[in-house]
Protein backbone atom coordinates (compact mmCIF):
# COMPACT_ATOMS: atom_id res chain seq x y z
CA UNK A 1 0.00 0.00 0.00
CA UNK A 2 1.24 3.53 -0.73
CA UNK A 3 2.83 5.11 2.30
CA UNK A 4 4.38 8.47 3.19
CA UNK A 5 6.64 9.06 6.16
CA UNK A 6 8.10 12.48 6.93
CA UNK A 7 11.24 12.91 9.04
CA UNK A 8 13.39 15.72 10.29
CA UNK A 9 16.52 15.31 8.17
CA UNK A 10 18.55 14.97 11.37
CA UNK A 11 16.32 12.29 12.95
CA UNK A 12 15.98 9.20 10.73
CA UNK A 13 14.61 7.12 13.63
CA UNK A 14 11.61 9.28 14.51
CA UNK A 15 9.02 9.89 11.79
CA UNK A 16 6.99 13.08 12.32
CA UNK A 17 4.22 11.82 10.03
CA UNK A 18 3.18 8.37 8.80
CA UNK A 19 0.17 7.76 6.57
CA UNK A 20 -1.15 5.23 4.07
CA UNK A 21 -4.08 7.45 3.09
CA UNK A 22 -3.83 8.50 -0.56
CA UNK A 23 -5.50 11.88 -0.05
CA UNK A 24 -3.31 12.72 2.97
CA UNK A 25 -0.19 11.68 1.04
CA UNK A 26 -1.17 13.86 -1.93
CA UNK A 27 -1.87 16.83 0.37
CA UNK A 28 1.46 16.64 2.21
CA UNK A 29 3.40 16.25 -1.04
CA UNK A 30 1.52 19.02 -2.81
CA UNK A 31 2.74 21.39 -0.06
CA UNK A 32 6.31 20.86 -1.33
CA UNK A 33 5.38 20.94 -5.02
CA UNK A 34 5.40 17.17 -5.51
CA UNK A 35 2.57 15.53 -7.46
CA UNK A 36 0.99 12.32 -6.18
CA UNK A 37 -1.96 10.75 -8.00
CA UNK A 38 -3.62 7.36 -8.19
CA UNK A 39 -4.63 6.25 -11.69
CA UNK A 40 -6.94 3.54 -12.98
CA UNK A 41 -6.37 1.62 -16.19
CA UNK A 42 -9.00 2.10 -18.90
CA UNK A 43 -8.67 -1.61 -19.65
CA UNK A 44 -6.96 -4.47 -17.77
CA UNK A 45 -3.21 -4.82 -18.29
CA UNK A 46 -2.27 -8.49 -18.53
CA UNK A 47 1.01 -9.85 -17.19
CA UNK A 48 3.54 -9.72 -20.00
CA UNK A 49 1.69 -6.90 -21.79
CA UNK A 50 3.71 -5.06 -24.41
CA UNK A 51 4.91 -1.49 -23.93
CA UNK A 52 2.23 -0.28 -26.36
CA UNK A 53 -0.53 -2.13 -24.49
CA UNK A 54 0.58 -0.63 -21.17
CA UNK A 55 0.65 2.87 -22.63
CA UNK A 56 -2.77 2.39 -24.30
CA UNK A 57 -4.35 1.41 -20.96
CA UNK A 58 -3.36 4.75 -19.39
CA UNK A 59 -3.49 6.95 -22.48
CA UNK A 60 -5.91 9.57 -21.15
CA UNK A 61 -3.83 10.23 -18.02
CA UNK A 62 -0.55 10.08 -19.93
CA UNK A 63 -1.82 12.66 -22.43
CA UNK A 64 -3.14 14.91 -19.63
CA UNK A 65 0.04 14.95 -17.57
CA UNK A 66 2.24 15.28 -20.66
CA UNK A 67 0.28 18.35 -21.77
CA UNK A 68 0.39 19.85 -18.25
CA UNK A 69 4.13 19.36 -17.78
CA UNK A 70 5.55 19.48 -21.31
CA UNK A 71 6.64 15.87 -21.68
CA UNK A 72 7.56 14.79 -25.21
CA UNK A 73 7.85 11.03 -24.79
CA UNK A 74 7.19 8.08 -22.51
CA UNK A 75 8.60 4.61 -22.16
CA UNK A 76 7.91 1.57 -20.00
CA UNK A 77 10.59 0.08 -17.74
CA UNK A 78 10.13 -3.41 -16.33
CA UNK A 79 12.47 -4.97 -13.77
CA UNK A 80 12.00 -8.45 -12.31
CA UNK A 81 13.62 -9.92 -9.17
CA UNK A 82 15.79 -12.28 -11.22
CA UNK A 83 17.24 -9.49 -13.39
CA UNK A 84 20.98 -10.32 -13.58
CA UNK A 85 21.80 -6.60 -13.34
CA UNK A 86 19.52 -5.92 -10.34
CA UNK A 87 22.34 -4.89 -7.98
CA UNK A 88 23.83 -2.53 -10.52
CA UNK A 89 20.41 -1.10 -11.38
CA UNK A 90 19.54 -0.65 -7.70
CA UNK A 91 22.83 1.08 -6.92
CA UNK A 92 22.44 3.65 -9.65
CA UNK A 93 20.14 6.11 -7.85
CA UNK A 94 20.63 5.12 -4.20
CA UNK A 95 22.51 8.32 -3.34
CA UNK A 96 21.15 11.84 -3.17
CA UNK A 97 20.83 13.48 -6.60
CA UNK A 98 18.64 15.75 -8.66
CA UNK A 99 17.68 16.07 -12.31
CA UNK A 100 17.26 19.02 -14.63
CA UNK A 101 13.74 17.97 -15.57
CA UNK A 102 10.85 16.61 -13.53
CA UNK A 103 11.13 12.92 -12.63
CA UNK A 104 7.65 11.53 -13.20
CA UNK A 105 6.94 7.85 -12.80
CA UNK A 106 3.70 5.87 -12.88
CA UNK A 107 3.76 2.42 -11.27
CA UNK A 108 1.79 0.02 -13.47
CA UNK A 109 2.78 -2.82 -11.15
CA UNK A 110 5.13 -3.64 -8.28
CA UNK A 111 6.66 -0.97 -6.03
CA UNK A 112 9.64 1.24 -5.18
CA UNK A 113 10.77 3.78 -2.58
CA UNK A 114 11.32 7.44 -3.46
CA UNK A 115 12.86 9.58 -0.74
CA UNK A 116 13.00 13.38 -1.12
CA UNK A 117 15.14 15.82 0.85
CA UNK A 118 13.43 19.21 1.00
CA UNK A 119 14.21 22.11 3.34
CA UNK A 120 15.45 20.13 6.32
CA UNK A 121 12.85 17.38 6.00
CA UNK A 122 12.91 13.95 4.42
CA UNK A 123 9.82 12.57 2.66
CA UNK A 124 9.86 8.80 2.17
CA UNK A 125 7.22 7.63 -0.31
CA UNK A 126 6.51 3.98 -0.99
CA UNK A 127 4.98 3.93 -4.47
CA UNK A 128 2.91 0.92 -5.46
CA UNK A 129 0.69 -0.17 -8.35
CA UNK A 130 -1.48 2.72 -9.66
CA UNK A 131 0.63 5.49 -8.03
CA UNK A 132 2.04 8.41 -9.99
CA UNK A 133 4.77 10.54 -8.47
CA UNK A 134 6.12 13.77 -9.95
CA UNK A 135 9.37 15.05 -8.44
CA UNK A 136 10.08 18.60 -9.69
CA UNK A 137 13.41 19.39 -11.35
CA UNK A 138 16.10 20.36 -8.87
CA UNK A 139 14.51 18.54 -5.89
CA UNK A 140 17.14 16.35 -4.21
CA UNK A 141 16.08 12.72 -3.78
CA UNK A 142 17.10 9.08 -4.06
CA UNK A 143 15.31 5.95 -5.28
CA UNK A 144 15.52 2.40 -3.96
CA UNK A 145 13.99 -0.52 -5.87
CA UNK A 146 14.97 -2.98 -3.12
CA UNK A 147 17.15 -6.10 -3.15
CA UNK A 148 14.65 -8.08 -5.23
CA UNK A 149 13.22 -5.36 -7.46
CA UNK A 150 9.81 -5.88 -9.00
CA UNK A 151 8.10 -3.12 -10.88
CA UNK A 152 6.71 -1.95 -14.19
CA UNK A 153 6.68 1.83 -14.55
CA UNK A 154 5.88 4.43 -17.18
CA UNK A 155 8.59 7.12 -17.39
CA UNK A 156 8.02 10.59 -18.84
CA UNK A 157 10.69 12.63 -20.64
CA UNK A 158 11.16 16.17 -21.92
CA UNK A 159 14.67 15.67 -23.34
CA UNK A 160 16.45 12.41 -24.22
CA UNK A 161 19.06 13.03 -21.50
CA UNK A 162 16.76 14.78 -19.01
CA UNK A 163 16.87 11.89 -16.53
CA UNK A 164 20.65 12.12 -15.97
CA UNK A 165 21.36 12.23 -12.23
CA UNK A 166 23.45 15.05 -10.74
CA UNK A 167 24.83 13.70 -7.46
CA UNK A 168 25.20 16.03 -4.47
CA UNK A 169 27.95 14.03 -2.71
CA UNK A 170 25.84 13.95 0.48
CA UNK A 171 25.67 10.72 2.50
CA UNK A 172 22.17 11.48 3.84
CA UNK A 173 20.59 8.58 1.91
CA UNK A 174 22.71 6.10 3.86
CA UNK A 175 21.22 7.36 7.14
CA UNK A 176 17.63 6.63 6.15
CA UNK A 177 15.94 3.23 5.75
CA UNK A 178 16.61 1.24 2.61
CA UNK A 179 13.72 -0.48 0.87
CA UNK A 180 12.81 -3.88 2.23
CA UNK A 181 9.29 -4.44 0.83
CA UNK A 182 8.53 -7.53 2.93
CA UNK A 183 9.17 -5.76 6.24
CA UNK A 184 6.91 -2.77 5.71
FE1 LIG B 1 16.12 10.55 -9.66
Amino acid sequence: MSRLRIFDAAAPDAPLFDSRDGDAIARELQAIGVTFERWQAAQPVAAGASQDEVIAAYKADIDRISAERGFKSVDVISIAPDNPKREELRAKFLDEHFHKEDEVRFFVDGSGLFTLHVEGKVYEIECVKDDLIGVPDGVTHWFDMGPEPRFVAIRFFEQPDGWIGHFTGSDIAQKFPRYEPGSR
Side-chain angles (χ1 to χ4, degrees), residues 46-109:
S50 72
Q51 180 155 322
D52 287 347
E53 287 167 336
V54 169
I55 289 169
Y58 296 97
K59 188 172 187 312
D61 280 317
I62 289 171
D63 288 351
R64 172 178 57 83
I65 212 133
S66 296
E68 281 171 14
R69 303 177 79 119
F71 290 115
K72 305 282 193 299
S73 62
V74 297
D75 73 4
V76 179
I77 180 171
S78 177
I79 299 182
D82 62 353
N83 188 306
K85 288 190 171 177
R86 62 186 179 277
E87 284 182 32
E88 187 184 323
L89 291 165
R90 184 189 187 191
K92 204 166 174 195
F93 292 113
L94 274 181
D95 287 319
E96 188 186 61
H97 65 277
F98 64 92
H99 307 277
K100 291 183 177 172
E101 65 179 48
D102 298 354
E103 179 167 351
V104 177
R105 301 284 184 266
F106 172 72
F107 284 79
V108 176
D109 203 356

Side-chain angles (χ1 to χ4, degrees), residues 10-180:
D13 299 323
L16 306 168
F17 176 93
D18 186 347
S19 178
R20 296 179 188 272
D21 179 85
D23 292 337
I25 293 171
R27 195 165 52 239
E28 292 293 328
L29 293 179
Q30 188 180 34
I32 56 165
V34 172
T35 305
F36 180 85
E37 299 179 358
R38 306 212 73 209
W39 291 3
Q40 285 196 321
Q43 64 245 24
V45 181
S50 72
Q51 180 155 322
D52 287 347
E53 287 167 336
V54 169
I55 289 169
Y58 296 97
K59 188 172 187 312
D61 280 317
I62 289 171
D63 288 351
R64 172 178 57 83
I65 212 133
S66 296
E68 281 171 14
R69 303 177 79 119
F71 290 115
K72 305 282 193 299
S73 62
V74 297
D75 73 4
V76 179
I77 180 171
S78 177
I79 299 182
D82 62 353
N83 188 306
K85 288 190 171 177
R86 62 186 179 277
E87 284 182 32
E88 187 184 323
L89 291 165
R90 184 189 187 191
K92 204 166 174 195
F93 292 113
L94 274 181
D95 287 319
E96 188 186 61
H97 65 277
F98 64 92
H99 307 277
K100 291 183 177 172
E101 65 179 48
D102 298 354
E103 179 167 351
V104 177
R105 301 284 184 266
F106 172 72
F107 284 79
V108 176
D109 203 356
S111 63
L113 194 70
F114 272 93
T115 309
L116 321 181
H117 181 199
V118 180
E119 293 178 1
K121 292 218 174 79
V122 166
Y123 297 75
E124 178 203 76
I125 306 129
E126 182 178 22
C127 291
V128 303
K129 179 177 165 21
D130 295 337
D131 290 348
L132 173 116
I133 185 165
V135 180
D137 61 90
V139 168
T140 50
H141 65 275
W142 53 95
F143 175 69
D144 191 353
M145 58 181 73
E148 294 182 343
R150 192 182 71 79
F151 66 91
V152 178
I154 300 174
R155 306 188 292 186
F156 296 75
F157 302 99
E158 292 168 45
Q159 306 285 339
D161 63 353
W163 58 272
I164 287 172
H166 300 272
F167 288 84
T168 65
S170 164
D171 65 354
I172 185 168
Q174 295 159 27
K175 297 174 181 164
F176 280 84
R178 289 306 190 193
Y179 191 34
E180 298 286 346

